Amino acid sequence: MTKLTLISSAVFSVLCSHSALAATVTGKITDDKNRPIENAAVHVHGKDQGVKTNAQGEFSIDVDSQSQLHVSKDNFIDSRIAVNENSNNVTVSLTPTSVETVVVYASALHKNSLEMISPVSVLSGDELKNKSKPTLGETLKGLPGVNASYFGPVSSSPIIRGLDGPRVKITQNGLDASDASRIGPDHATSSDSLAAEQIEVLRGPSTLLYGSGAIGGVVNVVDNRIPTSNLDDLSGAAEYSHDTVSNSNTVAAKLETGNDGFNFHFDGTKRSGDDYETPTFSITDEDGDVETANTVENTFIDSDTFNVGTSYVGDHLTVGFSYGSIDTDYGIPGHEHHDHDHEGETEEEHDDHAEEEEESVYAHLEQDRWQGLISYALDNNWVENINLRVGYTDYSHSEIEDGEIGTTFKNETTEARLNVEHKLAQWHGMIGYHYSESDYDAIGEEAFTPASVTTTHALYLLEEREFGDVTVELGARIEDYEITSTITETEHDHSHDEEEEDHDEGEEESIAYSESFTNVSASVGAIWQYTPGQSVALSLSHSERAPLSAELLSNGLHIATGTYEVGLGYHIEDNEVHFEPEDIKQEKSTNLDLSFRRFSGDFGYTVNFFYNDIKNFYYQQNTGLVYDEEDGLESAIGAHDDAVAVYQFASKDAELYGIEFDVHYQIDPSTMIKVFGDSTRAKLKDDAGNLPRIPANKLGSELQYNVGDLQLTLTGTHYFEQNDISAFETKTDGYTIVDAQANYQLSLGAIDTQLYLNVDNITDELGFVHSSFIKDKAPLPGRNFRFGIRGYF
């Protein structure tokens, strides 16, 4: 807390800085044919200050000396112009585009999606509302290069270019979501897409700002729980929807208001649903019998979220605070416990016990999250803005078995990020400090990872400069990463006499463990606007990552994945596991991205090629051993049927490469067609085999058609067969999913209303997700009708 106090003092010390005299700048915004543009947004860079143009495209705005105006309008490319106190009658011409341009908050330098050097996708507005699902993974899986881990529809995390879990950072307004989704695939993400204003997906390494957990990419959920612009009127929204495939109901509401610089925000969501239905599929039970099913059991959800925030927004100073709460119960499919100790009972007695032994397991997730923001815009020749975000998250995930808590996972996270945006000569950039402390604990029979505290301190620098039509970006980050834990080892003697077989002879030894790493990351990139509306971008980055506690310290049965997991810090000898954390090497990634983009006129595209060379890639390999509760670790040959495979984290060099693309054509003002797809190849070097659970390639097309107030969308996506598999994996057949949407706008007085109907999986196709740990037990949902109503005022 001392560090945070010092940071806060540093920010407040600038509050009495001298302000230059303000001036009024007037101007006009036109299109490429010199026609005025009404309702274009004119915003002063670095401040929460902006105006809209009138019917003649004219505007008037107060600025300080040496300011920059950011001009934006839907269906036009953003423009930025430098102004000063002597500027007057400014004229800005905007170029039309069929691609929506939005500011990417995760970029730190206020860039929009077309100016980014690294590939980025943004879901916002009606597109986000129409595609929103209960989980981030299901919401984003249609984007090129993005897939879902899919542990059922209520626990599904994003996969970016074949990487997920500890390599994809999920943030909320730039701060870590701080849940347990990186510990296991059955742990849901705590970020809710229903309350989001936009969701940003940064592909490739984003470690400069977000740390070693972002070696594969970043998903940033942006909401307005801390308002950063003044709210002068009372506004709000409400929504209700129903899904037939799981008989689920969702209610969401938002309310915002403000007065004289003080602003208030509230949003809440209530969602409940039953087990979801599927096309008929075959499933093998514990006794090896094949059965058919058309429902995935234990996939219900009952969730409540609540967020409230307030802020003060002045000409230079913004101060805000927010609180959010999540309380969710959700079923975990394929996660049942069985007691197989019924030796000597008859077949009839075994059958009688079958239903009693199987206990459905569900998760109870609770999260309390506090966030604070202090931002101050200076009138300084080199410092533009000082921004401090702080957050504290108290997360708990309990797994309930037969009405009692079996295992509880806890994570308390404190985080602070201080950014100083500046100009130095012709360079525009940011220098920052990032602090994070994660206190993780697991209590119960499935606590396969010991309690640990992970602390990071980092300094980073990001700079950019324009050279004519070329913008160059340089960046570097140095991070001190420390993990501490107490390891308990138990030595068991399994050579008991029959009289002593209930006596557990073992001695526990506690080992205090602490290890630190220095992670260094650097990047260089450039984007060339070689002609108006077309660009090519190239970036090269080097990132380093230390292992998470689950990768380093795991030693226990992980029921969700049906495996016994052993971390990098352990050594297996004579079927005994010993803690010997020697020569733990960092994971080091060298990534190359090449992007081609066209975004002006009726025809546009984004095509990304990537190659990622990773040294010491952490992955789980099958040891050829199995774990049995009575016998411990033993050879898989001749083992009991209910013994589970033993997987140990190892590190080997790997490479991932592929392509992702999104092409669109505006046929006429009411009709647009899109084609999108991706392909990722991921394998170990030296012909050591493929990496496991890599998503299948996909190819899709979307047709959008507008008739007055009616918007129609038809989307078809084909997922190819995945036969590039690792040892002990099985191939996954291809399938095609066809979805349709219809939205109708109507006005009910002061309330803008939208009625909508979505039909998902129209053909009721049976599809299995290759990246899922439980793909054979949890296929994708069958045909679903989702209908709802939204209202805005």
Side-chain angles (χ1 to χ4, degrees):
M1 295 302 297
T2 301
K3 296 183 179 66
L4 299 183
T5 303
L6 292 174
I7 293 171
S8 302
S9 299
V11 174
F12 280 112
S13 67
V14 302
L15 299 185
C16 297
S17 299
H18 174 72
S19 296
L21 294 176
T24 300
V25 172
T26 60
K28 185 175 183 179
I29 311 300
T30 64
D31 62 15
D32 58 339
K33 297 180 180 178
N34 204 33
R35 295 175 297 193
I37 299 177
E38 185 179 3
N39 285 328
V42 182
H43 177 262
V44 179
H45 174 71
K47 296 184 180 181
D48 298 307
Q49 176 186 354
V51 297
K52 297 279 189 178
T53 57
N54 60 20
Q56 289 73 44
E58 299 168 340
F59 70 91
S60 176
I61 190 169
D62 292 334
V63 301
D64 297 311
S65 60
Q66 306 299 320
S67 296
Q68 184 186 75
L69 297 183
H70 179 196
V71 183
S72 60
K73 172 67 175 176
D74 291 345
N75 302 319
F76 290 90
I77 300 173
D78 292 9
S79 179
R80 302 175 189 271
I81 59 169
V83 295
N84 56 43
E85 64 273 16
N86 297 319
S87 299
N88 207 355
N89 296 324
V90 176
T91 300
V92 180
S93 179
L94 299 182
T95 303
T97 177
S98 55
V99 179
E100 183 180 8
T101 61
V102 293
V103 173
V104 180
Y105 292 92
S107 69
L109 293 178
H110 317 288
K111 292 185 176 182
N112 66 46
S113 51
L114 302 180
E115 298 170 328
M116 294 283 292
I117 294 176
S118 299
V120 62
S121 294
V122 179
L123 282 182
S124 62
D126 288 340
E127 183 182 17
L128 172 58
K129 293 180 176 65
N130 293 334
K131 294 183 177 180
S132 179
K133 303 289 185 183
T135 63
L136 277 180
E138 294 305 290
T139 299
L140 301 173
K141 69 178 185 180
L143 296 176
V146 183
N147 289 274
S149 61
Y150 199 75
F151 210 91
V154 295
S155 181
S156 183
S157 299
I159 300 175
I160 301 178
R161 294 177 172 178
L163 301 176
D164 66 344
R167 298 179 181 88
V168 173
K169 177 81 77 174
I170 298 176
T171 64
Q172 185 182 64
N173 299 319
L175 296 180
D176 197 329
S178 303
D179 52 39
S181 60
R182 279 169 280 182
I183 300 299
D186 59 322
H187 296 183
T189 59
S190 60
S191 297
D192 193 335
S193 60
L194 285 175
E197 300 287 330
Q198 68 183 47
I199 302 177
E200 306 162 348
V201 180
L202 279 67
R203 299 173 180 81
S206 302
T207 57
L208 295 182
L209 295 177
Y210 298 99
S212 56
I215 202 169
V218 168
V219 176
N220 185 41
V221 180
V222 180
D223 57 42
N224 197 40
R225 63 179 62 179
I226 299 181
T228 55
S229 58
N230 280 319
L231 305 172
D232 297 324
D233 301 310
L234 175 66
S235 64
E239 177 177 1
Y240 167 79
S241 66
H242 176 79
D243 289 79
T244 60
V245 76
S246 59
N247 191 33
S248 64
N249 296 284
T250 302
V251 179
K254 181 176 74 171
L255 185 68
E256 294 182 332
T257 188
N259 182 52
D260 198 23
F262 291 92
N263 309 281
F264 173 81
H265 169 94
F266 160 83
D267 71 73
T269 304
K270 168 68 176 177
R271 182 190 299 114
S272 61
D274 302 328
D275 296 345
Y276 74 90
E277 299 174 349
T278 72
T280 301
F281 68 103
S282 299
I283 187 170
T284 304
D285 64 19
E286 289 288 332
D287 297 320
D289 298 327
V290 178
E291 302 176 347
T292 59
N294 54 21
T295 300
V296 178
E297 297 181 356
N298 213 27
T299 53
F300 71 91
I301 187 171
D302 188 358
S303 177
D304 296 281
T305 66
F306 168 84
N307 299 299
V308 62
T310 185
S311 68
Y312 170 77
V313 179
D315 289 339
H316 297 272
L317 174 66
T318 298
V319 179
F321 171 82
S322 72
Y323 167 75
S325 173
I326 301 175
D327 192 326
T328 300
D329 291 331
Y330 66 91
I332 306 175
H335 194 160
E336 290 84 24
H337 290 261
H338 302 267
D339 180 5
H340 298 279
D341 187 16
H342 293 289
E343 294 185 8
E345 68 179 11
T346 66
E347 183 177 347
E348 289 77 9
E349 290 173 330
H350 173 78
D351 292 338
D352 291 340
H353 280 118
E355 291 188 8
E356 297 178 12
E357 292 169 356
E358 185 170 326
E359 304 169 357
S360 293
V361 179
Y362 71 93
H364 178 65
L365 186 157
E366 291 182 311
Q367 185 186 79
D368 294 302
R369 184 176 177 89
W370 292 264
Q371 288 184 309
L373 167 67
I374 302 174
S375 179
Y376 191 80
L378 284 79
D379 300 318
N380 191 293
N381 290 331
W382 66 279
V383 176
E384 292 185 346
N385 183 275
I386 298 177
N387 183 286
L388 172 66
R389 282 191 179 271
V390 295
Y392 173 78
T393 303
D394 186 356
Y395 171 92
S396 174
H397 169 110
S398 297
E399 296 187 352
I400 314 298
E401 307 168 19
D402 197 26
E404 297 182 356
I405 296 177
T407 308
T408 297
F409 302 87
K410 296 182 178 180
N411 190 29
E412 294 185 28
T413 302
T414 304
E415 186 175 9
R417 181 185 301 278
L418 175 67
N419 292 330
V420 179
E421 187 177 354
H422 62 269
K423 282 187 176 180
L424 186 61
Q426 300 299 314
W427 291 89
H428 174 219
M430 176 175 292
I431 186 171
Y433 167 74
H434 185 201
Y435 165 80
S436 176
E437 181 183 84
S438 175
D439 188 347
Y440 167 82
D441 195 7
I443 305 169
E445 61 183 32
E446 290 184 30
F448 59 95
T449 303
S452 62
V453 176
T454 304
T455 306
T456 63
H457 299 271
L459 294 173
Y460 52 88
L461 179 68
L462 186 66
E463 300 290 336
E464 68 172 12
R465 180 178 176 180
E466 294 183 359
F467 296 88
D469 296 328
V470 177
T471 300
V472 175
E473 184 178 277
L474 306 174
R477 176 187 178 105
I478 183 168
E479 175 184 273
D480 177 68
Y481 179 100
E482 182 180 30
I483 181 170
T484 59
S485 181
T486 299
I487 310 300
T488 301
E489 282 197 311
T490 304
E491 296 290 345
H492 294 286
D493 181 2
H494 295 290
S495 59
H496 303 303
D497 294 331
E498 292 184 5
E499 299 177 357
E500 299 178 320
E501 62 182 16
D502 292 333
H503 176 64
D504 186 10
E505 294 183 3
E507 294 183 359
E508 290 190 348
E509 179 185 1
S510 295
I511 304 172
Y513 175 74
S514 178
E515 185 63 82
S516 61
F517 302 85
T518 300
N519 299 316
V520 178
S521 301
S523 70
V524 57
I527 184 169
W528 176 30
Q529 304 277 354
Y530 59 90
T531 190
Q534 298 185 53
S535 65
V536 58
L538 179 68
S539 64
L540 177 67
S541 60
H542 172 81
S543 306
E544 298 180 354
R545 182 176 81 90
L548 293 183
S549 60
E551 297 169 308
L552 181 62
L553 305 176
S554 292
N555 181 23
L557 182 63
H558 192 177
I559 298 295
T561 59
T563 61
Y564 188 98
E565 298 187 2
V566 180
L568 287 164
Y570 290 86
H571 177 67
I572 301 176
E573 183 177 0
D574 296 330
N575 294 348
E576 293 286 345
V577 180
H578 304 282
F579 187 62
E580 299 176 3
E582 299 176 357
D583 195 27
I584 303 297
K585 297 180 179 179
Q586 293 154 285
E587 195 175 84
K588 298 182 179 181
S589 165
T590 301
N591 186 86
L592 180 68
D593 262 297
L594 177 62
S595 301
F596 298 91
R597 305 167 191 166
R598 175 190 171 97
F599 42 85
S600 63
D602 296 329
F603 175 69
Y605 55 80
T606 298
V607 182
N608 305 320
F609 298 90
F610 67 92
Y611 178 82
N612 197 353
D613 182 282
I614 305 180
K615 294 185 180 299
N616 309 316
F617 183 87
Y618 307 143
Y619 73 104
Q620 289 176 295
Q621 66 176 4
N622 194 305
T623 61
L625 301 174
V626 296
Y627 171 79
D628 182 84
E629 291 184 0
E630 293 183 358
D631 301 324
L633 270 60
E634 60 182 357
S635 173
I637 301 175
H640 294 168
D641 292 338
D642 59 348
V644 298
V646 176
Y647 280 78
Q648 182 169 22
F649 280 94
S651 62
K652 289 185 179 180
D653 295 347
E655 59 181 354
L656 299 89
Y657 52 88
I659 181 176
E660 54 207 20
F661 62 89
D662 185 347
V663 182
H664 68 271
Y665 178 61
Q666 189 82 43
I667 299 174
D668 57 46
S670 62
T671 310
M672 175 184 284
I673 188 170
K674 293 182 179 181
V675 178
F676 57 89
D678 58 54
S679 174
T680 299
R681 188 75 173 91
K683 58 185 180 180
L684 297 171
K685 287 189 171 183
D686 301 324
D687 296 322
N690 299 307
L691 290 176
R693 293 179 301 280
I694 298 302
N697 301 334
K698 68 173 180 275
L699 177 64
S701 180
E702 182 174 288
L703 176 64
Q704 299 176 1
Y705 184 66
N706 300 331
V707 184
D709 292 327
L710 179 64
Q711 298 91 41
L712 302 173
T713 303
L714 181 66
T715 306
T717 307
H718 178 71
Y719 293 84
F720 291 87
E721 177 186 79
Q722 179 58 290
N723 51 21
D724 293 325
I725 56 179
S726 64
F728 307 101
E729 270 194 302
T730 58
K731 76 171 187 176
T732 303
D733 294 334
Y735 55 93
T736 301
I737 301 295
V738 181
D739 304 324
Q741 298 175 354
N743 298 274
Y744 183 73
Q745 305 280 348
L746 66 156
S747 179
L748 300 176
I751 301 177
D752 292 328
T753 306
Q754 183 181 81
L755 302 175
Y756 62 90
L757 171 65
N758 295 359
V759 186
D760 303 322
N761 195 2
I762 295 175
T763 61
D764 204 31
E765 179 91 348
L766 179 63
F768 295 92
V769 180
H770 185 77
S771 53
S772 173
F773 274 92
I774 56 171
K775 71 169 185 176
D776 296 324
K777 297 180 180 180
L780 291 170
R783 184 185 300 113
N784 175 47
F785 292 89
R786 181 188 182 194
F787 52 87
I789 182 172
R790 303 185 187 105
Y792 307 88
F793 65 91

